[in-house]
Amino acid sequence: MTLNKLEIALLEFLIPQGSRPDILAKQLGCIEVVDRDYSGAGFFTTVKHSDKSPIVSHPYVSPFGSVLIDSPELEHGGGALVFMSLGKIDFLEAYAYGDQWPKKELKSFQLKSASNP
């Protein structure tokens, strides 16, 4: 599976906030989705990396992310975090604030910095 529009937008927005964003940006081109699990309040997207994917050496921060997801499909908006394992992006978690996440891709959304909304 490939990353959907929201997952790509979230990762592109969040990668500059992580440790070694230059390496994380290169990882983005080396991943594919192995699982997308809707939890009711959000979703988890687990990825795997090709052999060409670079590794971020220790120390690195995990999880990381500061984003507000604004969408008419989320009454109170949402947020997201990126989790890493062994120097690589492992999974993306997105969640709704106070309501259910639709069991489908959001049709429209805007991303904003959570630290400066």
Side-chain angles (χ1 to χ4, degrees), residues 11-24:
L11 287 169
E12 288 176 345
F13 190 92
L14 294 171
I15 280 174
Q17 300 173 24
S19 304
R20 294 298 311 265
D22 56 326
I23 294 175
L24 293 174

Side-chain angles (χ1 to χ4, degrees), residues 10-11 17 22-23 44 47 63 69 75 94 100-101 114:
L10 284 169
L11 287 169
Q17 300 173 24
D22 56 326
I23 294 175
F44 296 89
V47 299
I69 304 168
E75 184 179 350
Q100 294 290 315
W101 191 280

Side-chain angles (χ1 to χ4, degrees), residues 19-20 23 27 54-61 84 86-88:
S19 304
R20 294 298 311 265
I23 294 175
Q27 287 184 9
I55 296 173
V56 176
S57 1
H58 252 0
Y60 57 82
V61 176
M84 294 182 58
L86 303 174
K88 294 183 178 183

Side-chain angles (χ1 to χ4, degrees), residues 5-106:
K5 183 177 160 186
L6 175 61
E7 292 161 341
I8 292 169
L10 284 169
L11 287 169
E12 288 176 345
F13 190 92
L14 294 171
I15 280 174
Q17 300 173 24
S19 304
R20 294 298 311 265
D22 56 326
I23 294 175
L24 293 174
K26 290 177 185 173
Q27 287 184 9
L28 187 56
C30 300
I31 58 177
E32 66 179 74
V33 175
V34 293
D35 187 45
R36 186 177 292 119
D37 180 36
Y38 290 93
S39 66
F43 66 87
F44 296 89
T45 301
T46 305
V47 299
K48 75 174 184 176
H49 293 254
S50 73
D51 294 338
K52 297 178 183 180
S53 186
I55 296 173
V56 176
S57 1
H58 252 0
Y60 57 82
V61 176
S62 179
F64 65 88
S66 177
V67 62
L68 294 174
I69 304 168
D70 185 24
S71 171
E73 298 163 84
L74 298 172
E75 184 179 350
H76 302 290
L81 295 169
V82 176
F83 290 80
M84 294 182 58
S85 178
L86 303 174
K88 294 183 178 183
I89 296 169
D90 187 26
F91 66 94
L92 172 68
E93 176 186 9
Y95 45 87
Y97 292 126
D99 53 341
Q100 294 290 315
W101 191 280
K103 289 191 175 187
K104 57 182 173 48
E105 186 175 351
L106 297 180

